[in-house]
Amino acid sequence: MKKVSTEPSNDFFAGLGAPARRALENAGINSPARLSKKTKKEILQLHGMGPSSIPKLERKLNAAGLNFK
């Protein structure tokens, strides 16, 4: 039986909890550029995304020179 990895698939997901990671992956958001096309409200509506993830995501966006929509 193959073990499924629970580690982030790339640096974009590093520091996020598994539910938040899955929420972003399921929404097709896998880069700061794609995240920047969404509002905070849209992100918080994703199943598994909590308010504590927003500051982490903002830091990732800022590091890429981007912001939420």
Side-chain angles (χ1 to χ4, degrees):
M1 181 179 266
K2 184 178 178 183
K3 184 177 178 180
V4 176
S5 174
T6 58
E7 293 301 311
S9 56
N10 62 40
D11 289 341
F12 176 69
F13 294 118
L16 293 175
R21 247 189 350 260
R22 285 190 300 269
L24 293 172
E25 288 174 337
N26 290 336
I29 301 169
N30 58 9
S31 70
R34 287 189 177 184
L35 180 62
S36 71
K37 295 178 181 179
K38 303 291 184 183
T39 65
K40 290 179 192 178
K41 184 177 179 180
E42 289 172 321
I43 295 301
L44 286 171
Q45 290 175 345
L46 298 174
H47 178 74
M49 188 61 63
S52 66
S53 297
I54 295 298
K56 295 173 187 174
L57 293 173
E58 282 183 310
R59 285 191 291 274
K60 292 177 184 297
L61 285 173
N62 291 338
L66 300 167
N67 292 300
F68 281 106
K69 182 174 168 186

